[in-house]
Amino acid sequence: MRRSIKQKLTIWIALLMLLSVVLVLGILMSVSNSVVMDHTKSQLEITLRSKLPDISKENGKLVFAKGFSFVENGVYTIVYNERGALLAGQMPLSFPDGVAFENGVIHTVGDYHVLDFRLPFGWSDSVWVRGVIPVVNTDDIVDAFRVVGLVLLPLMVIVSGTGAYLLSRSTVRPIDRIISAAEAIGEGRDLSRRIGLPTGRDEISRMGAAFDRMFARLETSFETEKQFTSDVSHELRTPIAVILAQCEETRLHTMTEEEYQKAFAVVERQAKRMSTMIGQLLQMTRLEQGTQRVVFEQADLSELVEVVCAEQPVSEKGIVLETDLQMDVEAWFDITLMSRLLQNLLNNATRYGRENGHIWVTLRRNGDEVTLAVRDDGIGIPADKLDKIWQRFYQADNARGAESGAGLGLTMVQQIALIHGGQVKVDSIEGAGSCFTLRFPAENSQKAQLN
């Protein structure tokens, strides 16, 4: 028979409590005899010793202190002379005669414990003071323990079983919620569902919080996949339609070699655009899902910016690139991602720059913050579109003669800035140019991760 966790916990805790009570009663019964006996002997010695100072002799006659009692705390006190003749006190009726004296030693005679003390009153005159106490019958104590056990054991089983059931139910209830949420998500019904256990430090609360974090990552992953699929399918339709139309035009009409070259150039341009778009989307998705490793290291950002600017392709528009870099700016960053960020900003400035215009790149470190800025004197961005340029596939102006891009560069710039624990802002005046400024901490940036 397969039992639930609640049943198992209830049975095991009840059995454990039952076994504990049985063991405790057994131990008490086994030690009760010696405990009672030790207590009786201790009571005999204490009582008898307290009597000794109250016994004296005056003019050869025994004198007892006022209020002296020969029977106290169950102890019989008897006084003998040196020859064993009874001088004072009364022996229990069942106590045997002729028991030898043993000074200061407790010994057992029949049903009694006996303790003798020799009390001297001079060089040749002394008495024996004997204490006698009945041996306690421990059978009554054992019987009392048995009665207690018969009453206590069923009560302990009921109490422990009830407590174990309530404890197991409260423990298993959160697990049932975890199972229910996992099953719902596993069946794909509700990816936004969470367990929502109260915050706590116990193992169940921590497990529920861990599952909620896992479910959140799963939901993000699925949403990212859906967004990726939607974006790709939407954005690829235009270049694919252009390629198909160009192929159809080329197939149906006789064309000169020059016309063929132009057709192939159109196909190649659209294919490159698709390739760039897919590559950027894949990298952004990997960064969002944490599947692309980010490697932070302490490096010279000034040198990196100088190399990237030097390798920037010469613009056909005659744009001049100028740099104003603070030397030896050390920072903690991912070299590959930071290179991509700067390249995207330079490409954006080139794409929307004016003929024979300028691009200015500046780099500064102020305390613990690094500032990297890329400014151009191009067409600028309308004020009502500044908050939209970070969206995927959004392009502020496609109708001003600018070369068409994928619309992903600035989205990736913002993503890389967040990974480095920083932010990127834009200031732009339509018709006068734009300035993109990145600020991020120079140290400990490896702790900043996309959630």
Side-chain angles (χ1 to χ4, degrees):
M1 178 181 178
R2 300 182 63 181
R3 294 185 174 90
S4 64
I5 294 179
K6 288 188 290 187
Q7 293 174 331
K8 291 179 180 178
L9 284 175
T10 302
I11 293 173
W12 276 106
I13 294 177
L15 289 177
L16 182 61
M17 291 298 298
L18 179 62
L19 179 61
S20 300
V21 173
V22 170
L23 287 175
V24 170
L25 288 176
I27 293 172
L28 289 176
M29 291 172 64
S30 64
V31 303
S32 61
N33 187 40
S34 61
V35 171
V36 171
M37 185 175 293
D38 291 341
H39 175 72
T40 303
K41 291 180 178 180
S42 176
Q43 183 175 332
L44 169 62
E45 182 175 0
I46 293 172
T47 302
L48 189 59
R49 285 185 181 276
S50 69
K51 298 291 185 181
L52 296 180
D54 296 336
I55 303 174
S56 61
K57 253 190 179 185
E58 295 180 4
N59 299 324
K61 184 179 179 180
L62 281 174
V63 178
F64 299 94
K66 185 179 180 180
F68 186 91
S69 176
F70 286 94
V71 180
E72 185 178 342
N73 297 329
V75 177
Y76 294 84
T77 304
I78 308 99
V79 183
Y80 298 88
N81 63 14
E82 282 282 2
R83 294 182 297 276
L86 179 65
L87 298 179
Q90 183 178 358
M91 189 66 67
L93 296 177
S94 59
F95 191 83
D97 297 328
V99 177
F101 296 106
E102 298 182 32
N103 188 34
V105 178
I106 297 177
H107 54 285
T108 303
V109 179
D111 295 331
Y112 297 91
H113 298 303
V114 180
L115 175 61
D116 301 317
F117 286 111
R118 186 174 179 273
L119 190 61
F121 295 111
W123 290 104
S124 60
D125 189 10
S126 63
V127 296
W128 285 96
V129 181
R130 168 167 284 176
V132 178
I133 187 171
V135 176
V136 177
N137 186 2
T138 58
D139 291 341
D140 295 337
I141 298 177
V142 173
D143 291 339
F145 276 126
R146 290 196 184 100
V147 173
V148 171
L150 291 176
V151 175
L152 189 61
L153 286 179
L155 181 62
M156 288 300 299
V157 171
I158 295 174
V159 172
S160 61
T162 303
Y165 174 77
L166 295 176
L167 175 63
S168 60
R169 187 177 66 175
S170 63
T171 302
V172 173
R173 186 183 296 116
I175 298 178
D176 290 335
R177 291 174 61 177
I178 293 174
I179 294 173
S180 177
E183 288 178 345
I185 292 176
E187 295 173 3
R189 296 198 306 265
D190 186 6
L191 294 177
S192 63
R193 181 170 179 176
R194 299 292 181 267
I195 300 169
L197 295 181
T199 303
R201 300 182 64 181
D202 59 276
E203 290 79 358
I204 300 296
S205 298
R206 288 162 53 197
M207 181 173 65
F211 270 97
D212 279 343
R213 290 193 295 270
M214 181 186 70
F215 294 153
R217 289 194 297 269
L218 284 175
E219 181 183 15
T220 301
S221 178
F222 279 113
E223 291 300 323
T224 302
E225 183 179 349
K226 288 170 58 179
Q227 183 67 36
F228 177 82
T229 304
S230 175
D231 291 343
V232 170
S233 60
H234 179 269
E235 294 299 322
L236 290 183
R237 282 184 297 183
T238 299
I240 290 176
V242 172
I243 292 175
L244 291 176
Q246 190 64 54
C247 291
E248 182 69 13
E249 177 71 17
T250 304
R251 184 177 63 83
L252 294 177
H253 300 86
T254 301
M255 304 176 69
T256 65
E257 181 177 352
E258 182 180 356
E259 291 174 330
Y260 274 116
Q261 291 294 335
K262 290 182 180 180
F264 288 147
V266 171
V267 173
E268 182 181 21
R269 185 167 56 252
Q270 296 300 325
K272 287 181 177 180
R273 180 185 176 189
M274 288 190 295
S275 177
T276 300
M277 182 190 308
I278 293 173
Q280 290 179 332
L281 278 173
L282 285 175
Q283 185 175 22
M284 292 172 59
T285 302
R286 293 190 187 106
L287 288 173
E288 289 175 352
Q289 296 183 346
T291 57
Q292 177 171 324
R293 184 182 179 189
V294 180
V295 182
F296 286 92
E297 59 182 288
Q298 191 79 19
D300 189 338
L301 184 58
S302 302
E303 182 180 355
L304 175 67
V305 174
E306 187 175 11
V307 171
V308 172
C309 291
E311 295 178 350
Q312 182 69 11
V314 178
S315 172
E316 296 179 356
K317 298 179 179 180
I319 296 176
V320 178
L321 175 60
E322 298 181 9
T323 60
D324 180 13
L325 310 178
Q326 177 182 334
M327 291 295 98
D328 302 321
V329 174
E330 293 286 331
W332 194 263
F333 58 94
D334 182 294
I335 294 178
T336 301
L337 292 182
M338 193 59 67
S339 300
R340 175 59 62 87
L341 178 145
L342 181 55
Q343 288 171 353
N344 286 352
L345 289 178
L346 292 175
N347 291 338
N348 185 77
T350 301
R351 181 177 300 116
Y352 295 101
R354 66 176 66 254
E355 295 285 343
N356 301 316
H358 295 80
I359 298 175
W360 296 273
V361 178
T362 59
L363 175 66
R364 294 288 185 273
R365 174 167 177 170
N366 300 312
D368 294 332
E369 185 179 67
V370 174
T371 302
L372 174 64
V374 177
R375 182 169 63 90
D376 65 71
D377 54 1
I379 62 176
I381 305 171
D384 60 339
K385 297 182 179 180
L386 284 175
D387 59 340
K388 300 177 182 179
I389 62 174
W390 311 108
Q391 300 175 8
R392 288 187 179 186
F393 302 109
Y394 182 81
Q395 298 180 62
D397 196 334
N398 285 332
R400 298 194 179 193
E403 181 185 348
S404 179
L408 295 172
L410 293 181
T411 306
M412 185 174 294
V413 165
Q414 186 182 56
Q415 188 179 37
I416 295 173
L418 292 175
I419 291 176
H420 285 77
Q423 58 181 349
V424 60
K425 294 184 177 180
V426 58
D427 296 306
S428 183
I429 299 176
E430 189 173 6
S434 305
C435 180
F436 290 84
T437 304
L438 166 69
R439 291 184 174 88
F440 68 98
E443 304 294 337
N444 299 325
S445 298
Q446 75 278 14
K447 296 179 180 180
Q449 299 292 334
L450 270 182
N451 294 326

